[in-house]
Amino acid sequence: NPSNLLARYGFLDESSSATFCKYVIENPTFEMFNLGYPNSMYFYNDGGISNEVWDVLLYELLKSPEEQQAFYHAHMSGDGATKQNYHDEYFPQTLAVLQNHVDYLVHELDEAYIRMEDQSFISSVDEEDDDNSNSYPRLPLISRHNNTVRGILELVKRYLDGMTTSY
């Protein structure tokens, strides 16, 4: 996970097979943690999405506590058929939430790039001999990280768009 390594150790592993999906829940429940939030919620570098992302988003979407409990119980007991029934029933809503989330992340990365560019940081990132590269020594690394994550998000977006047309 390139984001985790950058935040913890200050380096970027561009060979990572996935990145966190970066979905934030204000007050996650015990059940959400058991469904995989946030440690198993990944977007893969081939555009795939971990099952935990779908499970947590669905759990959050379920209208009644009874539905949430039934879904959670199915998850904990390994009842794949019941889980799949819930996923099928709520697929359009879950897909819409996920598409909105990915669109939001892409927009945020675009905004960050524009802010860096507006402050003439990008040219110094590319040249790396300008005075700004000394003032902001991690900027080239952050820019590469954002580009890596954006590339994964674009693949996820294509994958989700394909699901929209086939559903």
Side-chain angles (χ1 to χ4, degrees):
N1 179 349
S3 301
N4 192 31
L5 292 174
L6 180 62
R8 281 193 180 175
Y9 305 111
F11 73 90
L12 177 63
D13 178 7
E14 293 169 293
S15 69
S16 293
S17 62
T19 188
F20 283 124
C21 82
K22 299 164 184 23
Y23 189 80
V24 177
I25 298 172
E26 295 258 341
N27 296 308
T29 64
F30 174 78
E31 291 83 2
M32 289 177 177
F33 287 115
N34 281 338
L35 289 168
Y37 179 81
N39 295 335
S40 297
M41 296 179 65
Y42 293 109
F43 291 148
Y44 297 106
N45 62 6
D46 64 357
I49 301 162
S50 70
N51 290 333
E52 291 82 358
V53 171
W54 294 104
D55 289 348
V56 170
L57 293 179
L58 173 58
Y59 183 84
E60 193 176 39
L61 279 171
L62 292 172
K63 308 259 185 275
S64 72
E66 294 79 23
E67 283 183 310
Q68 286 182 326
Q69 275 309 113
F71 180 77
Y72 178 73
H73 178 70
H75 174 79
M76 294 306 289
S77 66
D79 182 355
T82 299
K83 272 183 71 174
Q84 190 59 50
N85 287 339
Y86 277 104
H87 278 293
D88 291 345
E89 182 177 344
Y90 287 92
F91 178 75
Q93 296 93 325
T94 311
L95 178 61
V97 168
L98 195 46
Q99 286 175 314
N100 289 337
H101 176 65
V102 171
D103 289 343
Y104 170 78
L105 292 175
V106 168
H107 175 75
E108 287 295 304
L109 288 171
D110 289 345
E111 289 292 314
Y113 183 83
I114 290 168
R115 283 192 303 273
M116 287 189 287
E117 188 177 58
D118 284 349
Q119 296 177 26
S120 301
F121 291 152
I122 296 301
S123 61
S124 67
V125 168
D126 293 336
E127 296 167 13
E128 291 200 32
D129 60 350
D130 191 40
D131 289 337
N132 283 343
S133 65
N134 294 326
S135 299
Y136 305 98
R138 294 208 185 261
L139 196 57
L141 184 63
I142 292 168
S143 181
R144 281 187 20 235
H145 166 267
N146 289 354
N147 288 337
T148 299
V149 171
R150 192 178 198 295
I152 293 171
L153 292 173
E154 287 295 331
L155 292 171
V156 170
K157 184 172 173 39
R158 273 190 239 138
Y159 177 72
L160 293 172
D161 289 346
M163 293 178 126
T164 302
T165 59
S166 67
Y167 184 70

